[in-house]
Amino acid sequence: MKMSETRQAALPAPLLKAARSRWGHLLFVLPGMLPVVAWALARQVGAWDLWAWFTPFVYFVIIPVLDFVLGEDRHNHDPADESELARDPYYRCLPLSCLPLQLGLLFWGAAVWAEAPFGLAGQLGWIVSMGCVGGVQGINAGHELIHKSNGVERAAGGVLLASVLYGSFKVEHIYGHHVDVATPDDNSTARRGESVYAFIARALARNVGRAFALERRHTERRGEVYRWARSEVFGWMLVSAAMCAVCVAIVGGTAGFVYYLGQAFFAIVLLETINYVEHYGLQRQRLPDGRYERVNPMHSWNSDYLLTNLLLFHLQRHSDHHAHATRRYHLLRHFDQSPQLPFGYATMVVLSWVPSLWRSVMHPRLDRFQAALSASR
């Protein structure tokens, strides 16, 4: 079965080689720098309320255009090189570097929120901008780190998630989503026909509670007594509370509280929107014994758009990530048999905001994939 419908990268060979190199992976810093650029430009030219929206404008207008222009890259590393690349400390350090960057930007953003001459539109734009940064530099990098066996990486991933009030994701994602993905038991798998708004509401209502329940189950299976006040989920909530207190100290009073909760809300909404995109309509087959088939690269939508993959630690190669969850981001592979998204994540997020448009794009593609899958069995 072959489901690849791709638009190959339009870059000249030397630039494409550079993009795949160690230096190309440094593009991950770009999303986090956008509010800094906006702040610097606003200081020079004014129009603070307009520049406050610069970050989401780049995320959801400029990046989709660049994705389309630059195209896709289906290149996989030579398997003979994978062992050496997996040990390379350079690639391990990049997601870890997001921890000081995210915390620095979170608290710097609070200071800007307190001092900049924003009107109401600018205040909202700044919170959305910092939420975009938290969704990409906080949650996305944290997601990469919590899957690793190294305790330092997992702890750093937890702190990054806690920076946007979503430390519970560390537990729910590993023990819930990765176990139940593409089944009715998973809150993070969107059903066919479900709107992104209904999906986000379901995720926000259920995922934190499910994280506590999953942690309780795993604690009791070890023969230990579960106490929610000593749980990992509650611990991350305390870390979030400490970060919120810092923002309150920087901004002052209720405004600091609004800033912290606001950026966290938009970061979580961005995460859950991407969750919606990643598994929309896909289902694992139930076996005769009642269990579901093993997760494989056909249970997640894949996207190989070059620019967004470099910005997101290759999160768009989600098919391989779910099939091999501990594989490091720079080694994730393209599989022709995986269902392929028509665009990169930034464009798909925008499409999801218009449910009728989303269905018109995704349902024919989903039907073709499912027909090909059925024919191959």
Side-chain angles (χ1 to χ4, degrees):
M1 179 182 63
K2 187 174 182 178
M3 287 299 300
S4 180
E5 300 177 39
T6 57
R7 182 177 176 276
Q8 284 302 287
L11 287 174
L15 289 179
L16 185 57
K17 183 178 180 181
R20 293 169 178 166
S21 73
R22 297 161 70 90
W23 301 111
H25 285 82
L26 289 175
L27 282 177
F28 82 92
V29 302
L30 178 61
M33 294 301 102
L34 293 174
V36 179
V37 172
W39 168 78
L41 290 171
R43 291 187 67 190
Q44 294 297 316
V45 303
W48 282 87
D49 284 6
L50 182 63
W51 285 111
W53 291 92
F54 176 69
T55 298
F57 176 75
V58 173
Y59 273 39
F60 302 118
V61 178
I62 301 301
I63 290 176
V65 171
L66 290 176
D67 260 345
F68 180 79
V69 171
L70 297 178
E72 298 177 89
D73 179 25
R74 293 182 292 172
H75 170 77
N76 291 333
H77 287 291
D78 187 331
D81 298 331
E82 286 191 3
S83 179
E84 181 179 353
L85 287 168
R87 294 193 302 269
D88 191 330
Y90 173 81
Y91 293 103
R92 298 188 181 203
C93 287
L94 298 189
L96 283 169
S97 69
C98 287
L99 180 57
L101 289 173
Q102 167 65 6
L103 295 183
L105 284 167
L106 174 66
F107 300 137
W108 169 82
V112 173
W113 165 265
E115 298 171 3
F118 290 131
L120 184 60
Q123 290 177 336
L124 178 59
W126 191 251
I127 284 181
V128 172
S129 293
M130 299 312 298
C132 287
V133 172
V136 172
Q137 192 165 259
I139 295 179
N140 179 58
H143 167 262
E144 168 66 21
L145 291 167
I146 63 174
H147 280 285
K148 302 302 170 275
S149 59
N150 181 282
V152 172
E153 290 176 295
R154 291 199 307 273
V159 175
L160 282 167
L161 295 169
S163 73
V164 294
L165 198 56
Y166 220 35
S168 59
F169 179 88
K170 182 175 183 292
V171 173
E172 194 282 328
H173 183 77
I174 298 293
Y175 299 114
H177 176 56
H178 269 263
V179 174
D180 296 326
V181 65
T183 75
D185 297 327
D186 183 32
N187 294 325
S188 296
T189 296
R191 292 32 163 166
R192 181 184 177 120
E194 183 177 30
S195 75
V196 70
Y197 306 107
F199 173 82
I200 291 172
R202 177 160 58 90
L204 294 180
R206 298 181 183 180
N207 280 351
V208 175
R210 190 171 191 231
F212 275 110
L214 288 166
E215 190 174 11
R216 182 187 189 108
R217 182 191 307 170
H218 280 267
T219 300
E220 292 175 347
R221 282 179 177 174
R222 295 195 301 267
E224 301 172 7
V225 177
Y226 175 78
R227 294 182 176 87
W228 67 267
R230 296 182 180 180
S231 70
E232 181 179 4
V233 176
F234 185 67
W236 292 124
M237 288 181 172
L238 293 179
V239 174
S240 296
M243 294 182 188
C244 181
V246 173
C247 291
V248 169
I250 293 171
V251 178
T254 303
F257 191 67
V258 169
Y259 165 80
Y260 180 78
L261 290 188
Q263 63 85 31
F265 173 77
F266 283 108
I268 293 168
V269 165
L270 180 57
L271 161 71
E272 296 299 350
T273 304
I274 290 174
N275 269 339
Y276 176 83
V277 170
E278 288 170 339
H279 303 286
Y280 180 81
L282 298 176
Q283 296 179 332
R284 284 154 61 191
Q285 187 177 26
R286 190 182 283 274
L287 303 174
D289 63 3
R291 295 180 299 174
Y292 289 97
E293 64 180 316
R294 185 181 180 88
V295 178
N296 63 54
M298 289 177 285
H299 298 131
S300 309
W301 290 96
N302 190 72
S303 178
D304 286 302
Y305 278 85
L306 173 66
L307 176 61
T308 307
N309 266 329
L310 291 174
L311 297 176
L312 297 181
F313 292 114
H314 290 257
L315 180 67
Q316 295 182 133
R317 289 196 165 183
H318 212 61
S319 299
D320 194 19
H321 167 69
H322 264 274
H324 307 93
T326 60
R327 182 180 287 270
R328 292 191 178 271
Y329 66 96
H330 59 294
L331 299 176
L332 292 173
R333 297 161 295 181
H334 166 88
F335 294 103
D336 279 342
Q337 67 266 34
S338 299
Q340 305 294 321
L341 291 171
F343 308 108
Y345 277 6
T347 306
M348 299 306 298
V349 166
V350 175
L351 281 178
S352 75
W353 296 341
V354 186
S356 60
L357 182 58
W358 171 267
R359 291 191 296 269
S360 70
V361 171
M362 288 300 294
H363 284 193
R365 187 169 289 255
L366 181 58
D367 290 339
R368 291 195 299 273
F369 171 72
Q370 291 176 333
L373 186 60
S374 296
S376 69
R377 285 174 170 163

